mmCIF file of all heavy atoms in Angstrom:
data_model
loop_
_atom_site.group_PDB
_atom_site.id
_atom_site.type_symbol
_atom_site.label_atom_id
_atom_site.label_comp_id
_atom_site.label_asym_id
_atom_site.label_seq_id
_atom_site.Cartn_x
_atom_site.Cartn_y
_atom_site.Cartn_z
ATOM 1 N N SER Q 47 77.399 81.633 90.925
ATOM 2 C CA SER Q 47 78.157 82.389 91.892
ATOM 3 C C SER Q 47 79.454 82.867 91.303
ATOM 4 O O SER Q 47 79.817 82.508 90.184
ATOM 5 C CB SER Q 47 78.466 81.499 93.064
ATOM 6 O OG SER Q 47 79.257 80.421 92.586
ATOM 7 N N ARG Q 113 78.372 99.127 98.874
ATOM 8 C CA ARG Q 113 77.930 98.882 100.245
ATOM 9 C C ARG Q 113 76.933 99.940 100.719
ATOM 10 O O ARG Q 113 76.034 99.675 101.517
ATOM 11 C CB ARG Q 113 79.153 98.871 101.138
ATOM 12 C CG ARG Q 113 78.808 98.530 102.564
ATOM 13 C CD ARG Q 113 79.966 98.796 103.445
ATOM 14 N NE ARG Q 113 80.661 97.544 103.723
ATOM 15 C CZ ARG Q 113 81.835 97.493 104.336
ATOM 16 N NH1 ARG Q 113 82.429 98.587 104.716
ATOM 17 N NH2 ARG Q 113 82.411 96.357 104.602
ATOM 18 N N PRO Q 116 71.245 101.807 99.035
ATOM 19 C CA PRO Q 116 70.098 101.197 99.715
ATOM 20 C C PRO Q 116 69.322 100.261 98.808
ATOM 21 O O PRO Q 116 68.104 100.344 98.689
ATOM 22 C CB PRO Q 116 69.263 102.411 100.104
ATOM 23 C CG PRO Q 116 69.531 103.406 99.049
ATOM 24 C CD PRO Q 116 70.945 103.202 98.638
ATOM 25 N N MET Q 119 69.494 93.104 98.781
ATOM 26 C CA MET Q 119 70.698 92.297 98.658
ATOM 27 C C MET Q 119 70.855 91.686 97.299
ATOM 28 O O MET Q 119 71.943 91.641 96.711
ATOM 29 C CB MET Q 119 70.691 91.210 99.744
ATOM 30 C CG MET Q 119 71.960 90.441 99.897
ATOM 31 S SD MET Q 119 73.305 91.474 100.392
ATOM 32 C CE MET Q 119 73.296 91.234 102.125
ATOM 33 N N ARG Q 127 78.271 91.211 90.581
ATOM 34 C CA ARG Q 127 78.841 90.222 89.658
ATOM 35 C C ARG Q 127 79.078 90.788 88.283
ATOM 36 O O ARG Q 127 80.111 90.554 87.667
ATOM 37 C CB ARG Q 127 77.894 89.026 89.570
ATOM 38 C CG ARG Q 127 78.056 88.039 90.693
ATOM 39 C CD ARG Q 127 77.148 86.865 90.498
ATOM 40 N NE ARG Q 127 76.599 86.487 91.786
ATOM 41 C CZ ARG Q 127 75.318 86.586 92.123
ATOM 42 N NH1 ARG Q 127 74.445 87.075 91.264
ATOM 43 N NH2 ARG Q 127 74.898 86.229 93.310
ATOM 44 N N ARG Q 164 92.278 93.254 103.909
ATOM 45 C CA ARG Q 164 90.985 92.874 104.439
ATOM 46 C C ARG Q 164 91.112 91.754 105.478
ATOM 47 O O ARG Q 164 90.506 91.809 106.544
ATOM 48 C CB ARG Q 164 90.095 92.432 103.279
ATOM 49 C CG ARG Q 164 88.616 92.665 103.564
ATOM 50 C CD ARG Q 164 87.768 92.413 102.387
ATOM 51 N NE ARG Q 164 88.116 91.245 101.634
ATOM 52 C CZ ARG Q 164 87.985 91.131 100.331
ATOM 53 N NH1 ARG Q 164 87.536 92.172 99.656
ATOM 54 N NH2 ARG Q 164 88.303 90.040 99.693
ATOM 55 N N ASN Q 168 90.177 91.857 109.487
ATOM 56 C CA ASN Q 168 89.355 90.859 110.161
ATOM 57 C C ASN Q 168 90.067 90.218 111.331
ATOM 58 O O ASN Q 168 89.491 90.010 112.396
ATOM 59 C CB ASN Q 168 88.923 89.748 109.165
ATOM 60 C CG ASN Q 168 87.891 90.267 108.205
ATOM 61 O OD1 ASN Q 168 87.318 91.328 108.406
ATOM 62 N ND2 ASN Q 168 87.668 89.512 107.126
ATOM 63 N N GLU Q 177 85.537 91.031 123.867
ATOM 64 C CA GLU Q 177 84.495 91.638 123.066
ATOM 65 C C GLU Q 177 83.125 91.019 123.367
ATOM 66 O O GLU Q 177 82.133 91.739 123.498
ATOM 67 C CB GLU Q 177 84.833 91.456 121.568
ATOM 68 C CG GLU Q 177 83.931 92.185 120.637
ATOM 69 C CD GLU Q 177 84.122 93.696 120.696
ATOM 70 O OE1 GLU Q 177 85.039 94.151 121.380
ATOM 71 O OE2 GLU Q 177 83.330 94.405 120.053
ATOM 72 N N GLU Q 184 76.406 94.998 127.315
ATOM 73 C CA GLU Q 184 75.728 96.033 126.567
ATOM 74 C C GLU Q 184 74.260 95.698 126.345
ATOM 75 O O GLU Q 184 73.403 96.556 126.435
ATOM 76 C CB GLU Q 184 76.429 96.168 125.226
ATOM 77 C CG GLU Q 184 76.238 97.496 124.556
ATOM 78 C CD GLU Q 184 77.257 97.662 123.447
ATOM 79 O OE1 GLU Q 184 77.919 96.672 123.043
ATOM 80 O OE2 GLU Q 184 77.418 98.814 122.987
ATOM 81 N N PHE Q 319 63.521 117.324 120.569
ATOM 82 C CA PHE Q 319 62.430 116.362 120.557
ATOM 83 C C PHE Q 319 62.606 115.308 119.447
ATOM 84 O O PHE Q 319 62.310 114.151 119.634
ATOM 85 C CB PHE Q 319 61.095 117.071 120.354
ATOM 86 C CG PHE Q 319 60.526 117.599 121.652
ATOM 87 C CD1 PHE Q 319 60.813 118.884 122.081
ATOM 88 C CD2 PHE Q 319 59.727 116.791 122.442
ATOM 89 C CE1 PHE Q 319 60.307 119.352 123.273
ATOM 90 C CE2 PHE Q 319 59.214 117.279 123.637
ATOM 91 C CZ PHE Q 319 59.521 118.548 124.056
ATOM 92 N N SER Q 320 63.086 115.754 118.282
ATOM 93 C CA SER Q 320 63.275 114.803 117.178
ATOM 94 C C SER Q 320 64.281 113.726 117.565
ATOM 95 O O SER Q 320 64.044 112.549 117.334
ATOM 96 C CB SER Q 320 63.798 115.538 115.937
ATOM 97 O OG SER Q 320 63.109 116.710 115.726
ATOM 98 N N TRP Q 321 65.367 114.139 118.184
ATOM 99 C CA TRP Q 321 66.343 113.154 118.577
ATOM 100 C C TRP Q 321 65.796 112.241 119.631
ATOM 101 O O TRP Q 321 66.050 111.011 119.635
ATOM 102 C CB TRP Q 321 67.615 113.838 119.104
ATOM 103 C CG TRP Q 321 68.386 114.493 118.012
ATOM 104 C CD1 TRP Q 321 68.251 114.316 116.678
ATOM 105 C CD2 TRP Q 321 69.413 115.449 118.181
ATOM 106 N NE1 TRP Q 321 69.132 115.074 115.972
ATOM 107 C CE2 TRP Q 321 69.863 115.810 116.872
ATOM 108 C CE3 TRP Q 321 70.002 116.078 119.274
ATOM 109 C CZ2 TRP Q 321 70.871 116.723 116.659
ATOM 110 C CZ3 TRP Q 321 71.029 116.984 119.041
ATOM 111 C CH2 TRP Q 321 71.433 117.293 117.760
ATOM 112 N N TYR Q 329 68.785 99.936 120.212
ATOM 113 C CA TYR Q 329 68.480 98.676 119.523
ATOM 114 C C TYR Q 329 69.269 97.502 120.049
ATOM 115 O O TYR Q 329 69.016 96.357 119.707
ATOM 116 C CB TYR Q 329 68.701 98.804 118.024
ATOM 117 C CG TYR Q 329 67.590 99.508 117.294
ATOM 118 C CD1 TYR Q 329 67.178 100.755 117.635
ATOM 119 C CD2 TYR Q 329 66.969 98.899 116.227
ATOM 120 C CE1 TYR Q 329 66.153 101.406 116.979
ATOM 121 C CE2 TYR Q 329 65.939 99.520 115.522
ATOM 122 C CZ TYR Q 329 65.544 100.781 115.916
ATOM 123 O OH TYR Q 329 64.534 101.410 115.263
ATOM 124 N N GLY Q 332 68.467 93.551 124.578
ATOM 125 C CA GLY Q 332 67.958 92.239 124.263
ATOM 126 C C GLY Q 332 67.413 91.523 125.476
ATOM 127 O O GLY Q 332 67.387 90.305 125.529
ATOM 128 N N ASN Q 333 66.938 92.271 126.447
ATOM 129 C CA ASN Q 333 66.569 91.690 127.711
ATOM 130 C C ASN Q 333 65.323 92.410 128.200
ATOM 131 O O ASN Q 333 65.269 93.619 128.226
ATOM 132 C CB ASN Q 333 67.775 91.955 128.613
ATOM 133 C CG ASN Q 333 67.517 91.628 130.053
ATOM 134 O OD1 ASN Q 333 66.455 91.879 130.594
ATOM 135 N ND2 ASN Q 333 68.514 91.094 130.689
ATOM 136 N N ASP Q 338 62.100 97.154 129.814
ATOM 137 C CA ASP Q 338 61.128 97.835 130.678
ATOM 138 C C ASP Q 338 61.697 99.132 131.211
ATOM 139 O O ASP Q 338 61.045 100.176 131.195
ATOM 140 C CB ASP Q 338 60.765 96.932 131.863
ATOM 141 C CG ASP Q 338 59.800 95.854 131.461
ATOM 142 O OD1 ASP Q 338 59.095 96.068 130.453
ATOM 143 O OD2 ASP Q 338 59.754 94.812 132.132
ATOM 144 N N PHE Q 341 61.884 101.743 128.487
ATOM 145 C CA PHE Q 341 60.566 102.361 128.209
ATOM 146 C C PHE Q 341 60.270 103.416 129.278
ATOM 147 O O PHE Q 341 59.853 104.549 128.975
ATOM 148 C CB PHE Q 341 59.455 101.306 128.224
ATOM 149 C CG PHE Q 341 59.375 100.501 126.959
ATOM 150 C CD1 PHE Q 341 59.472 99.129 126.995
ATOM 151 C CD2 PHE Q 341 59.165 101.125 125.734
ATOM 152 C CE1 PHE Q 341 59.397 98.380 125.829
ATOM 153 C CE2 PHE Q 341 59.076 100.366 124.578
ATOM 154 C CZ PHE Q 341 59.192 99.004 124.627
ATOM 155 N N LYS Q 631 73.404 108.845 129.255
ATOM 156 C CA LYS Q 631 73.785 108.830 127.837
ATOM 157 C C LYS Q 631 75.293 108.713 127.727
ATOM 158 O O LYS Q 631 76.051 109.509 128.289
ATOM 159 C CB LYS Q 631 73.324 110.147 127.208
ATOM 160 C CG LYS Q 631 72.714 109.920 125.820
ATOM 161 C CD LYS Q 631 72.412 111.215 125.151
ATOM 162 C CE LYS Q 631 71.043 111.750 125.559
ATOM 163 N NZ LYS Q 631 70.664 112.943 124.820
ATOM 164 N N SER Q 633 77.302 108.897 124.951
ATOM 165 C CA SER Q 633 78.100 109.537 123.898
ATOM 166 C C SER Q 633 78.713 110.833 124.337
ATOM 167 O O SER Q 633 79.895 111.086 124.144
ATOM 168 C CB SER Q 633 77.242 109.782 122.694
ATOM 169 O OG SER Q 633 76.187 110.630 123.037
ATOM 170 N N MET A 1 80.374 94.988 102.067
ATOM 171 C CA MET A 1 80.866 94.253 100.891
ATOM 172 C C MET A 1 81.306 92.874 101.309
ATOM 173 O O MET A 1 81.107 91.888 100.592
ATOM 174 C CB MET A 1 81.997 95.029 100.247
ATOM 175 C CG MET A 1 82.176 94.750 98.792
ATOM 176 S SD MET A 1 80.713 94.378 97.880
ATOM 177 C CE MET A 1 79.735 95.835 98.025
ATOM 178 N N ASP A 2 81.958 92.767 102.478
ATOM 179 C CA ASP A 2 82.378 91.441 102.939
ATOM 180 C C ASP A 2 81.155 90.550 103.047
ATOM 181 O O ASP A 2 81.182 89.364 102.690
ATOM 182 C CB ASP A 2 83.011 91.531 104.324
ATOM 183 C CG ASP A 2 84.268 92.354 104.236
ATOM 184 O OD1 ASP A 2 84.966 92.247 103.218
ATOM 185 O OD2 ASP A 2 84.514 93.144 105.146
ATOM 186 N N PHE A 5 80.074 89.325 99.568
ATOM 187 C CA PHE A 5 80.961 88.287 99.064
ATOM 188 C C PHE A 5 80.689 86.970 99.727
ATOM 189 O O PHE A 5 80.567 85.951 99.119
ATOM 190 C CB PHE A 5 82.405 88.647 99.379
ATOM 191 C CG PHE A 5 83.121 89.289 98.225
ATOM 192 C CD1 PHE A 5 83.861 90.435 98.422
ATOM 193 C CD2 PHE A 5 83.051 88.714 96.970
ATOM 194 C CE1 PHE A 5 84.502 91.017 97.377
ATOM 195 C CE2 PHE A 5 83.710 89.326 95.941
ATOM 196 C CZ PHE A 5 84.443 90.465 96.128
ATOM 197 N N ARG A 6 80.664 87.076 101.065
ATOM 198 C CA ARG A 6 80.630 85.823 101.816
ATOM 199 C C ARG A 6 79.308 85.143 101.696
ATOM 200 O O ARG A 6 79.225 83.936 101.727
ATOM 201 C CB ARG A 6 81.003 86.100 103.260
ATOM 202 C CG ARG A 6 82.471 86.302 103.330
ATOM 203 C CD ARG A 6 82.886 87.188 104.424
ATOM 204 N NE ARG A 6 84.254 87.584 104.185
ATOM 205 C CZ ARG A 6 85.220 87.428 105.074
ATOM 206 N NH1 ARG A 6 84.943 86.863 106.225
ATOM 207 N NH2 ARG A 6 86.420 87.808 104.813
ATOM 208 N N LEU A 8 77.658 85.070 99.073
ATOM 209 C CA LEU A 8 77.794 84.349 97.806
ATOM 210 C C LEU A 8 78.486 83.020 98.045
ATOM 211 O O LEU A 8 78.019 81.975 97.611
ATOM 212 C CB LEU A 8 78.687 85.158 96.849
ATOM 213 C CG LEU A 8 78.078 86.383 96.202
ATOM 214 C CD1 LEU A 8 79.100 87.003 95.298
ATOM 215 C CD2 LEU A 8 76.878 85.963 95.398
ATOM 216 N N THR A 12 77.381 79.123 97.414
ATOM 217 C CA THR A 12 78.005 78.155 96.511
ATOM 218 C C THR A 12 78.459 76.908 97.234
ATOM 219 O O THR A 12 78.315 75.810 96.712
ATOM 220 C CB THR A 12 79.241 78.711 95.809
ATOM 221 O OG1 THR A 12 79.995 79.380 96.795
ATOM 222 C CG2 THR A 12 78.873 79.616 94.699
ATOM 223 N N ASP A 67 62.593 92.301 122.078
ATOM 224 C CA ASP A 67 62.226 93.375 122.982
ATOM 225 C C ASP A 67 62.130 94.715 122.270
ATOM 226 O O ASP A 67 61.889 95.733 122.929
ATOM 227 C CB ASP A 67 63.257 93.483 124.097
ATOM 228 C CG ASP A 67 63.211 92.271 124.986
ATOM 229 O OD1 ASP A 67 62.092 91.997 125.492
ATOM 230 O OD2 ASP A 67 64.249 91.621 125.135
ATOM 231 N N ASN A 68 62.323 94.725 120.985
ATOM 232 C CA ASN A 68 62.350 95.970 120.252
ATOM 233 C C ASN A 68 60.921 96.360 119.843
ATOM 234 O O ASN A 68 60.257 95.581 119.162
ATOM 235 C CB ASN A 68 63.236 95.793 119.021
ATOM 236 C CG ASN A 68 63.615 97.097 118.400
ATOM 237 O OD1 ASN A 68 62.817 98.027 118.349
ATOM 238 N ND2 ASN A 68 64.830 97.169 117.892
ATOM 239 N N ASP A 93 70.643 91.163 104.665
ATOM 240 C CA ASP A 93 70.507 92.584 104.416
ATOM 241 C C ASP A 93 70.234 93.339 105.718
ATOM 242 O O ASP A 93 70.859 94.343 106.047
ATOM 243 C CB ASP A 93 69.290 92.794 103.509
ATOM 244 C CG ASP A 93 69.616 93.807 102.429
ATOM 245 O OD1 ASP A 93 70.704 94.387 102.479
ATOM 246 O OD2 ASP A 93 68.756 93.987 101.551
ATOM 247 N N TYR A 109 68.703 106.092 105.801
ATOM 248 C CA TYR A 109 67.688 105.735 104.807
ATOM 249 C C TYR A 109 66.753 104.697 105.367
ATOM 250 O O TYR A 109 65.509 104.810 105.247
ATOM 251 C CB TYR A 109 68.419 105.234 103.548
ATOM 252 C CG TYR A 109 67.506 104.729 102.482
ATOM 253 C CD1 TYR A 109 66.880 105.595 101.598
ATOM 254 C CD2 TYR A 109 67.235 103.359 102.338
ATOM 255 C CE1 TYR A 109 66.027 105.124 100.617
ATOM 256 C CE2 TYR A 109 66.392 102.903 101.356
ATOM 257 C CZ TYR A 109 65.797 103.788 100.484
ATOM 258 O OH TYR A 109 64.952 103.306 99.534
ATOM 259 N N TYR A 115 60.412 104.100 110.314
ATOM 260 C CA TYR A 115 59.499 104.959 111.056
ATOM 261 C C TYR A 115 58.336 105.454 110.186
ATOM 262 O O TYR A 115 57.460 106.144 110.703
ATOM 263 C CB TYR A 115 60.260 106.144 111.665
ATOM 264 C CG TYR A 115 61.244 105.725 112.717
ATOM 265 C CD1 TYR A 115 62.590 106.051 112.613
ATOM 266 C CD2 TYR A 115 60.856 104.970 113.821
ATOM 267 C CE1 TYR A 115 63.500 105.670 113.557
ATOM 268 C CE2 TYR A 115 61.761 104.595 114.765
ATOM 269 C CZ TYR A 115 63.086 104.938 114.649
ATOM 270 O OH TYR A 115 63.987 104.562 115.590
ATOM 271 N N LEU A 135 57.107 103.937 121.646
ATOM 272 C CA LEU A 135 58.266 104.204 122.533
ATOM 273 C C LEU A 135 57.852 104.275 123.996
ATOM 274 O O LEU A 135 58.628 103.949 124.880
ATOM 275 C CB LEU A 135 58.917 105.527 122.143
ATOM 276 C CG LEU A 135 59.950 105.482 121.054
ATOM 277 C CD1 LEU A 135 60.449 106.870 120.777
ATOM 278 C CD2 LEU A 135 61.126 104.628 121.494
ATOM 279 N N ARG A 137 54.918 103.114 125.242
ATOM 280 C CA ARG A 137 53.895 102.137 125.569
ATOM 281 C C ARG A 137 52.606 102.791 126.024
ATOM 282 O O ARG A 137 52.050 102.431 127.055
ATOM 283 C CB ARG A 137 54.404 101.149 126.619
ATOM 284 C CG ARG A 137 55.436 100.197 126.071
ATOM 285 C CD ARG A 137 55.503 98.926 126.827
ATOM 286 N NE ARG A 137 56.192 99.099 128.119
ATOM 287 C CZ ARG A 137 56.858 98.158 128.744
ATOM 288 N NH1 ARG A 137 56.945 96.970 128.191
ATOM 289 N NH2 ARG A 137 57.408 98.401 129.902
ATOM 290 N N GLU A 155 60.646 121.263 114.504
ATOM 291 C CA GLU A 155 62.096 121.236 114.507
ATOM 292 C C GLU A 155 62.662 120.766 113.194
ATOM 293 O O GLU A 155 63.640 121.311 112.689
ATOM 294 C CB GLU A 155 62.592 120.291 115.610
ATOM 295 C CG GLU A 155 62.439 120.835 117.014
ATOM 296 C CD GLU A 155 62.797 119.755 118.020
ATOM 297 O OE1 GLU A 155 63.042 118.613 117.634
ATOM 298 O OE2 GLU A 155 62.822 120.073 119.233
ATOM 299 N N MET A 172 68.206 115.970 109.856
ATOM 300 C CA MET A 172 68.091 116.010 111.312
ATOM 301 C C MET A 172 68.925 114.899 111.944
ATOM 302 O O MET A 172 69.601 115.101 112.944
ATOM 303 C CB MET A 172 66.589 115.846 111.686
ATOM 304 C CG MET A 172 66.316 115.771 113.132
ATOM 305 S SD MET A 172 66.286 114.102 113.772
ATOM 306 C CE MET A 172 64.849 113.470 112.958
ATOM 307 N N ARG A 175 72.844 115.000 112.460
ATOM 308 C CA ARG A 175 73.408 115.795 113.556
ATOM 309 C C ARG A 175 73.236 115.105 114.903
ATOM 310 O O ARG A 175 73.721 115.604 115.906
ATOM 311 C CB ARG A 175 72.728 117.149 113.629
ATOM 312 C CG ARG A 175 73.362 118.106 112.669
ATOM 313 C CD ARG A 175 72.446 119.254 112.370
ATOM 314 N NE ARG A 175 73.024 120.070 111.327
ATOM 315 C CZ ARG A 175 73.196 119.691 110.095
ATOM 316 N NH1 ARG A 175 72.799 118.500 109.720
ATOM 317 N NH2 ARG A 175 73.772 120.475 109.201
ATOM 318 N N ASP A 178 73.661 110.385 119.014
ATOM 319 C CA ASP A 178 73.438 109.016 119.455
ATOM 320 C C ASP A 178 73.024 108.075 118.386
ATOM 321 O O ASP A 178 72.886 106.890 118.623
ATOM 322 C CB ASP A 178 72.342 108.959 120.520
ATOM 323 C CG ASP A 178 72.711 109.767 121.711
ATOM 324 O OD1 ASP A 178 73.905 109.956 121.906
ATOM 325 O OD2 ASP A 178 71.790 110.188 122.428
ATOM 326 N N THR A 182 72.822 103.957 118.834
ATOM 327 C CA THR A 182 71.579 103.295 119.207
ATOM 328 C C THR A 182 70.995 102.482 118.062
ATOM 329 O O THR A 182 70.356 101.451 118.306
ATOM 330 C CB THR A 182 70.519 104.290 119.673
ATOM 331 O OG1 THR A 182 70.348 105.300 118.701
ATOM 332 C CG2 THR A 182 70.906 104.901 120.989
ATOM 333 N N ARG A 186 73.952 94.080 117.486
ATOM 334 C CA ARG A 186 75.143 93.218 117.362
ATOM 335 C C ARG A 186 74.715 91.768 117.348
ATOM 336 O O ARG A 186 73.907 91.356 118.190
ATOM 337 C CB ARG A 186 76.057 93.470 118.556
ATOM 338 C CG ARG A 186 77.522 93.478 118.216
ATOM 339 C CD ARG A 186 78.319 93.486 119.468
ATOM 340 N NE ARG A 186 78.285 94.800 120.082
ATOM 341 C CZ ARG A 186 79.380 95.531 120.305
ATOM 342 N NH1 ARG A 186 80.523 95.076 119.922
ATOM 343 N NH2 ARG A 186 79.288 96.671 120.912
#
Side-chain angles (χ1 to χ4, degrees):
Chain Q
S47 62
R113 183 191 261 171
M119 190 63 96
R127 276 183 220 114
R164 208 172 43 213
N168 287 346
E177 188 70 6
E184 203 164 14
F319 277 91
S320 316
W321 288 345
Y329 281 56
N333 171 322
D338 282 336
F341 281 123
K631 223 186 274 186
S633 61
Chain A
M1 206 31 63
D2 297 322
F5 262 132
R6 284 152 195 234
L8 285 181
T12 43
D67 293 305
N68 194 323
D93 224 354
Y109 176 81
Y115 294 123
L135 274 178
R137 288 204 285 208
E155 286 172 355
M172 177 268 294
R175 276 160 186 67
D178 298 337
T182 52
R186 219 189 285 240

